[in-house]
Amino acid sequence: MISMTRLVAVAAVVLALATLCPAQENVKPTDLGKGAEFKGKKIEMKDKGQVAYLLSFTAGRAFEATTDGTKNTDVHLYVYDTAGKDVGKDDSPGPKCSVKVTPAKDGKYKFVIKNAGGDNTVTFEVKVAE
């Protein structure tokens, strides 16, 4: 009986961790090159769809990543550093998101965009400070 209780407790912990960190797994990122050269991307997203992109940035040069959709679906934007640490997110309701980050070191940052509430065309843009 004790082992069954432990099994249930471990399962509950695993489920809780999966719920707290849902955005980063399940999506293989596409490398889009250098953030300073990125011109933006239009994405056809299905309901409950998600995409992930990698962009390289230089330490100390702030960037702002944004999304906007043609329809009023719920779009979320998550940003992770080279170590996989969450460095910014916008999970507010609606299609518009904005995350500002100043990289501490050179490297690739992962952007995860999630959509819910119906199909949508989402524009993803990144602007790097001069």
Side-chain angles (χ1 to χ4, degrees), residues 65-94:
T66 60
T67 66
D68 195 4
T70 57
K71 298 179 183 170
N72 194 24
T73 63
D74 196 12
V75 177
H76 296 168
L77 174 61
Y78 303 88
V79 183
Y80 301 91
D81 67 10
T82 55
K85 179 183 172 202
D86 178 357
V87 295
K89 69 179 178 178
D90 185 342
D91 56 4
S92 60

Side-chain angles (χ1 to χ4, degrees), residues 3-26:
S3 62
M4 183 58 112
T5 303
R6 286 184 182 161
L7 179 62
V8 170
V10 169
V13 168
V14 169
L15 181 61
L17 288 173
T19 303
L20 291 173
C21 306
Q24 194 167 1
E25 67 272 355
N26 301 329

Side-chain angles (χ1 to χ4, degrees), residues 45-111:
M45 297 192 73
K46 299 287 185 192
D47 183 28
K48 298 188 183 0
Q50 59 183 348
V51 296
Y53 300 111
L54 293 174
L55 286 167
S56 298
F57 294 94
T58 304
R61 289 192 63 197
F63 65 82
E64 180 179 14
T66 60
T67 66
D68 195 4
T70 57
K71 298 179 183 170
N72 194 24
T73 63
D74 196 12
V75 177
H76 296 168
L77 174 61
Y78 303 88
V79 183
Y80 301 91
D81 67 10
T82 55
K85 179 183 172 202
D86 178 357
V87 295
K89 69 179 178 178
D90 185 342
D91 56 4
S92 60
K96 292 185 178 190
C97 295
S98 175
V99 175
K100 294 179 183 177
V101 175
T102 301
K105 58 183 179 178
D106 292 357
K108 292 185 179 184
Y109 283 70
K110 182 177 177 181
F111 299 83

